[in-house]
Amino acid sequence: MGCASSTELERSKGELKRSKAEASAGEARMNTALSLQLNPEQVARVKAQAVRLEAEAVAARSLPPRLMAADTFRSEIAAFQKAGDLATLVAGARVHLADAAVQAAAMLALNSLMMGAKNPNTSKIYALGGLPLILDVLHAHEMERTVVAPACGALRNLTVVSSDQAAICAKTGEPSGISRLLNAADAFPGELAVLEHVVAVLVSVMAYNPNNTATIVVLGGMSRLMEMMERHPDASSLQESVCMALFNLTFAGPAAQARLKALGVEERVRTAMTAANATVDTKKWGQKLLDKLPAESAFE
């Protein structure tokens, strides 16, 4: 790991000072918004921005000045990954949130470091602020495939294999988190890697918090899942996980069940169940879904 030049150090100091100033300004804007009685959505945006700026300022204070240069940090990500330096990885990714090249490398590293069941790194990364970081990355780089794919994979590892699964799923299931997942599916409808990660996370957040099921319905998750099945009939793993997700959506209530039927879920699921590549679980979850549907659709 090389030494930074005096110019880089001066620039890094300037960036640190700017981060602190922006965090203070963000807090001031939040208080102003509240005093002006803005509508709830506007207040939420201001609060979220203040939280991000504060997280960036905290992260910047924890980094050596040389790592405040994006190119320097990116060049050392592999070394941090090899050393298991999770704190520096998360802090650097937070500071350089807007840099797509940094995020592509950082999300790949975090995803790799969380692979495998009962991996202790998942809890550590969560404790370091990994969850809001990943969600912010998905928002900041929603059209960058090299960022979105590993970010969705990292989020999947957090929600599926972490010992903090229940807490993580509750926070991921907040409307903003679900929106970012569905946006990823919309942006890359042909990318199986992205779609499989997205569906796996949706299944987890519904399993651990039933309130998330209603949120997914409201945000249009039904039609997105149906479109995935139609677009990728030969992707047996995706068909299986979508059947499971659609079954979970039936627990949103009779109106949701009727809506699924009106969207043509029966035909789509039966097609998946009878396909030559249908898995045992596709047939199991598909049948469970069909059994939950009403005899008559309220939308017919």
Side-chain angles (χ1 to χ4, degrees):
M1 302 181 187
C3 296
S5 67
S6 58
T7 301
E8 286 180 317
L9 290 175
E10 287 302 316
R11 184 169 62 248
S12 298
K13 290 178 182 178
E15 290 178 350
L16 177 58
K17 184 176 180 180
R18 176 184 57 78
S19 295
K20 291 179 180 179
E22 287 181 347
S24 298
E27 184 176 359
R29 284 195 296 271
M30 180 180 69
N31 292 333
T32 300
L34 292 172
S35 67
L36 292 174
Q37 296 183 340
L38 300 179
N39 69 52
E41 184 178 349
Q42 291 171 314
V43 171
R45 284 201 299 269
V46 173
K47 284 184 176 180
Q49 183 181 27
V51 169
R52 285 194 297 272
L53 289 171
E54 175 60 23
E56 180 183 334
V58 171
R61 289 194 291 271
S62 72
L63 285 181
R66 63 186 176 77
L67 296 181
M68 292 297 293
D71 289 345
T72 302
F73 174 73
R74 185 175 68 251
S75 71
E76 298 186 20
I77 286 175
F80 298 138
Q81 178 182 348
K82 184 176 181 180
D85 189 349
L86 306 179
T88 300
L89 271 173
V90 172
R94 170 57 71 183
V95 168
H96 302 295
L97 179 65
D99 192 303
V102 165
Q103 296 309 329
M107 293 299 107
L108 276 172
L110 291 175
N111 188 28
S112 178
L113 286 164
M114 291 189 286
M115 290 288 190
K118 298 182 179 179
N119 187 328
N121 285 337
T122 56
S123 294
K124 294 175 184 177
I125 290 170
Y126 173 55
L128 289 166
L131 177 59
L133 167 65
I134 294 168
L135 293 176
D136 286 344
V137 167
L138 285 172
H139 180 61
H141 302 282
E142 59 185 0
M143 298 306 296
E144 295 282 350
R145 185 204 173 281
T146 57
V147 176
V148 170
C152 285
L155 186 57
R156 179 179 185 174
N157 282 329
L158 274 180
T159 57
V160 175
V161 302
S162 173
S163 59
D164 296 298
Q165 191 175 37
I168 291 170
C169 286
K171 292 182 178 180
T172 306
E174 294 175 357
S176 61
I178 291 173
S179 291
R180 287 167 194 180
L181 283 165
L182 296 177
N183 288 345
D186 289 343
F188 303 99
E191 295 287 342
L192 281 174
V194 171
L195 299 181
E196 288 179 353
H197 292 326
V198 167
V199 178
V201 175
L202 292 178
V203 169
S204 288
V205 301
M206 285 190 280
Y208 276 84
N209 190 334
N211 291 334
N212 295 332
T213 306
T215 300
I216 292 169
V217 170
V218 169
L219 293 176
M222 285 181 180
S223 58
R224 261 63 160 256
L225 291 166
M226 296 275 289
E227 288 164 8
M228 292 179 200
M229 294 188 81
E230 184 173 3
R231 182 182 287 269
H232 301 283
D234 297 326
S236 58
S237 177
L238 181 63
Q239 295 286 323
E240 176 185 308
S241 56
V242 170
C243 280
M244 188 185 303
L246 290 171
F247 170 69
N248 285 348
L249 287 177
T250 64
F251 290 93
Q257 296 165 16
R259 180 60 181 161
L260 278 170
K261 188 166 183 177
L263 286 171
V265 74
E266 288 177 297
E267 180 182 357
R268 180 55 52 199
V269 168
R270 290 188 193 280
T271 298
M273 292 170 63
T274 57
N277 64 346
T279 67
V280 171
D281 279 344
T282 295
K283 296 174 182 178
K284 180 182 79 173
W285 293 110
Q287 189 58 55
K288 284 179 174 288
L289 167 61
L290 295 175
D291 292 342
K292 288 278 289 185
L293 296 177
E296 296 292 335
S297 173
F299 291 85
E300 292 177 344

